[in-house]
Amino acid sequence: MRKYVIMGVQGSGKGTQSELLCDDLDLVHISVGDIFRWHVQNHTKLGAQVRRTMNAGELVGDDLVESVVRERLDQHDWNFGFVIDGFPRNGRQAEFFMESYDIDGVIHLELPEDEVRRRVLSRRLCPNCGMDYNLIADRPKEDGRCDICGHQLITREDDTPEALDARLRDYNEKTRPVLELFRRKEFVHDIDARPPAEEVQAKIRAALNLPAYQAHA
């Protein structure tokens, strides 16, 4: 069983790399951000609370994040392991996680802040079917329209310059120290996130001594 944490600033490709890592290794991708977005899109009570927090450009509180992560991991649908994305974001969450689960490796995707801004501010979302687009590398066929359902694309509420500034501050102040906490265990792998996705994936697998990526037909 393999259990990995993937970390990096917004826009560093955590979701993409997690999916590639899980694709042929039978690992489960657990994205805290995706769980919260599902609640927002489905107008649950938790979603309303998350929406208010995101609109303020803040991160969701520790107690709520920990309970969501614990509930998700308690489903035990990860027979061969998991890749968790978006957690932990601070020291308290890291301590909780390390006390509860044995981690086999931490992948840290490094990306300069100017590239973070370029990537994040180019993201678009279909509010109808949830499809993600990026105007740099993954444009829709028709400008502003989802390829899948034809709905008008929007900018995520947490992808404004102001919200991004707040998240970068929060990441530098709270999440970077988590990396140092993990480094004391000597299993952090720093990966340059600037190259194309498959090249980044190859470097991740080499660092973790995993088989080369085999795309499913």
Side-chain angles (χ1 to χ4, degrees):
M1 185 178 292
R2 302 178 174 113
K3 298 186 286 294
Y4 302 116
V5 173
I6 189 163
M7 299 180 66
V9 291
Q10 212 177 358
S12 58
K14 296 187 298 296
T16 298
Q17 295 304 325
S18 296
E19 293 290 356
L20 290 173
L21 195 55
C22 292
D23 186 41
D24 61 330
L25 295 174
D26 290 322
L27 304 178
V28 173
H29 176 205
I30 298 174
S31 167
V32 176
D34 285 351
I35 293 171
F36 285 143
R37 275 188 286 277
W38 183 91
H39 281 280
V40 169
Q41 289 167 6
N42 287 276
H43 307 289
T44 67
K45 183 177 178 182
L46 173 60
Q49 185 176 349
V50 171
R51 182 186 288 273
R52 287 194 299 271
T53 304
M54 289 166 64
N55 286 347
E58 299 171 355
L59 294 178
V60 179
D62 289 343
D63 290 340
L64 186 56
V65 174
E66 287 170 18
S67 68
V68 166
V69 170
R70 187 183 292 110
E71 180 182 331
R72 179 64 187 84
L73 290 172
D74 283 348
Q75 293 177 24
H76 288 289
D77 58 345
W78 35 276
N79 296 330
F80 296 98
F82 59 77
V83 179
I84 191 161
D85 154 18
F87 184 90
R89 285 179 170 165
N90 59 41
R92 173 179 151 174
Q93 292 176 4
E95 294 287 358
F96 154 78
F97 197 56
M98 287 191 288
E99 287 171 5
S100 306
Y101 304 95
D102 294 324
I103 306 167
D104 295 302
V106 177
I107 305 149
H108 173 223
L109 298 176
E110 296 185 297
L111 195 67
E113 286 198 7
D114 58 346
E115 180 65 9
V116 171
R117 294 180 191 281
R118 190 177 79 95
R119 290 187 183 187
V120 168
L121 299 179
S122 297
R123 296 196 301 199
R124 297 294 183 271
L125 172 71
C126 177
N128 185 52
C129 70
M131 189 72 179
D132 279 308
Y133 296 88
N134 189 293
L135 301 185
I136 300 169
D138 186 26
R139 298 183 69 90
K141 292 173 184 173
E142 180 184 346
D143 279 350
R145 293 281 175 186
C146 178
D147 292 342
I148 307 299
C149 67
H151 200 281
Q152 184 79 30
L153 300 179
I154 62 170
T155 300
R156 285 183 185 172
E157 292 171 343
D158 58 340
D159 278 355
T160 63
E162 296 77 17
L164 178 56
D165 285 343
R167 283 178 173 271
L168 284 171
R169 278 197 306 273
D170 212 283
Y171 184 85
N172 288 324
E173 292 171 5
K174 297 179 181 177
T175 307
R176 284 198 183 280
V178 173
L179 284 167
E180 300 314 310
L181 195 62
F182 280 138
R183 282 187 206 285
R184 292 205 286 272
K185 301 267 185 178
E186 298 183 355
F187 52 22
V188 175
H189 305 280
D190 296 311
I191 306 291
D192 184 355
R194 290 173 296 181
E198 291 198 356
E199 187 177 327
V200 174
Q201 179 67 194
K203 290 180 179 177
I204 290 172
R205 295 199 176 209
L208 297 174
N209 295 314
L210 294 173
Y213 175 60
Q214 299 292 331
H216 288 170

